[in-house]
Amino acid sequence: MSLRETDAAKALKGRSLLSIADLSRPELDAVFDMTRRLKEHVISPSDQRAIFEGKTLAMIFEKPSLRTRVSFETGIFQLGGHGIYLGPNDISLGKRESVGDVAQTLGRMVNIIMARVFEHDKVTGLATYSGVPVINGLSDLEHPCQALADFYTIIEHKGKLDGLKLAFIGDGNNVAHSLMLLAAKMGTHFAIGCPKGYEPDSNVTAQAKELAKETGASIEVLNDAVKAVDGADVVYTDVWASMGQEAETEKRAKIFAPFQVNMELMNHAKDDALFEHCLPAHRGSEVTDDVIDGKWSVAFDEAENRLHAQKAVMVLLGS
Ligand code: CP
Ligand code: NVA
């Protein structure tokens, strides 16, 4: 059983995944291929258990989580290793001790670090000082593992990514950033419909537009939900107030109301469009029950694919 058949797969060994932009197109293809081999048991469960035998994954969480914790902990277990949960009160990253000291300590003991943080600088710092692969499990800037699982889910349902259109409706947040970068890399047209003042970070948009020149993907930032969804193959939404923005919930609810993904909005997408949501969902706010529970919805496929995609990332970076 060879885990690294291509040059791209070989090039990933020992690296970190902090941003989608860290991965080249062939490396992304290698991640999707490994996701398929693990999910479809092309690599048998017993061979999977041998990959990380005796190895450990540190999982740092500054914010709450259901999917990220359970998928990483289950994933490392299925690969024969052990996950160590470090919650917000365990290490107080950057407060009890510096990010660099935490990184150097963990790097002496564990084989991979996964971290969910507020400031993106913290995952960068962990990667700089730990000497082991660091995986971004969500920062204020990006959520790369989520985007990989979401695009793998599109491949499963549509058989391709190239030339499709993904419309993201809502806040130009961490999830939107990773999706926009991945769309640019994979040749998927991307349009965001968001209220004025809630556009994606201008540096990330510029980066996506530059990357899109190589694949022919279009990157559009619009302040109109209907225009963004027009002819979309995938309609995506996320919470209006992300973790850390709870104090703005009420203010945002008013501003984002015209950007709810409901049946009327879905009717502007293609007839066979998919609906995606990273979850957790605030039903009745950014999405209605009939959409998230309806024929379009692949929200729980995405949740399951977090497990398979992250196992692929761990295998390629950390084994
Ligand atoms: N989508 C996602 O990352 O979910 P959690 O916040 O529950 O981990
Ligand atoms: N944008 C959301 C994603 C949750 C998975 C947040 O950061 O809270």
Side-chain angles (χ1 to χ4, degrees):
M1 176 197 56
S2 167
L3 295 175
R4 288 191 176 77
E5 279 155 6
T6 61
D7 288 344
K10 290 182 188 124
L12 285 166
K13 192 176 173 68
R15 300 240 304 270
S16 289
L17 171 58
L18 308 183
S19 162
I20 285 294
D22 294 343
L23 303 179
S24 69
R25 174 63 185 265
E27 289 164 0
L28 288 163
D29 289 335
V31 171
F32 291 134
D33 186 55
M34 181 58 77
T35 303
R36 182 188 56 79
R37 288 169 68 194
L38 294 166
K39 181 173 182 178
E40 295 178 5
H41 291 177
V42 176
I43 304 172
S44 71
S46 63
D47 281 346
Q48 292 191 26
R49 277 195 293 279
I51 296 174
F52 284 126
E53 199 187 333
K55 306 268 174 77
T56 51
L57 164 76
M59 306 186 297
I60 299 173
F61 283 92
E62 287 193 317
K63 298 174 178 175
S65 170
L66 171 64
R67 280 145 291 271
T68 304
R69 177 177 177 183
V70 176
S71 54
F72 269 104
E73 198 162 331
T74 301
I76 192 74
F77 176 76
Q78 290 180 356
L79 294 168
H82 177 69
I84 302 164
Y85 174 76
L86 298 164
N89 297 325
D90 291 322
I91 56 173
S92 302
L93 195 59
K95 292 185 207 97
R96 184 168 181 264
E97 58 192 313
S98 74
V99 172
D101 288 355
V102 169
Q104 292 190 73
T105 304
L106 287 175
R108 300 286 181 111
M109 300 178 194
V110 308
N111 304 92
I112 309 176
I113 299 170
M114 187 284 301
R116 165 166 286 194
V117 298
F118 287 96
E119 301 84 4
H120 188 76
D121 283 358
K122 285 182 177 158
V123 282
T124 312
L126 288 170
T128 304
Y129 296 108
S130 67
V132 298
V134 173
I135 301 171
N136 179 358
L138 182 150
S139 68
D140 285 348
L141 190 65
E142 275 208 53
H143 197 357
C145 295
Q146 182 68 52
L148 291 171
D150 299 335
F151 273 59
Y152 186 77
T153 306
I154 299 170
I155 296 172
E156 285 187 317
H157 286 271
K158 296 283 179 198
K160 62 171 188 175
L161 296 170
D162 199 46
L164 298 182
K165 175 180 175 181
L166 186 149
F168 184 98
I169 306 302
D171 187 23
N173 63 16
N174 44 11
V175 172
H177 290 158
S178 291
L179 291 170
M180 180 163 67
L181 291 169
L182 190 50
K185 293 239 178 193
M186 302 309 295
T188 307
H189 303 301
F190 178 91
I192 178 167
C194 59
K196 276 203 172 62
Y198 294 89
E199 290 83 2
D201 182 284
S202 56
N203 292 323
V204 179
T205 303
Q207 195 180 13
K209 285 188 173 167
E210 197 53 41
L211 291 168
K213 285 182 188 160
E214 284 170 37
T215 59
S218 56
I219 304 291
E220 290 179 286
V221 178
L222 306 166
N223 297 122
D224 184 315
V226 172
K227 276 192 195 141
V229 165
D230 185 43
D233 298 279
V234 184
V235 179
Y236 198 116
T237 192
D238 182 15
V239 292
W240 292 337
S242 285
M243 291 180 277
Q245 298 172 334
E246 288 80 3
E248 294 178 37
T249 304
E250 228 170 283
K251 175 185 149 200
R252 284 175 176 249
K254 290 194 190 85
I255 296 169
F256 281 81
F259 292 85
Q260 182 185 66
V261 178
N262 50 34
M263 293 285 240
E264 200 191 321
L265 188 64
M266 284 303 293
N267 284 332
H268 293 274
K270 286 204 181 130
D271 286 344
D272 61 350
L274 303 176
F275 169 75
E276 291 203 327
H277 195 308
C278 55
L279 305 174
H282 292 166
R283 289 163 174 262
S285 292
E286 77 273 3
V287 63
T288 52
D289 284 339
D290 45 13
V291 170
I292 196 167
D293 297 328
K295 61 173 183 175
W296 306 279
S297 180
V298 292
F300 296 98
D301 291 354
E302 297 168 77
E304 179 189 334
N305 283 334
R306 293 290 303 280
L307 170 67
H308 307 296
Q310 290 160 191
K311 282 172 71 180
V313 169
M314 288 193 281
V315 168
L316 289 166
L317 304 181
S319 72

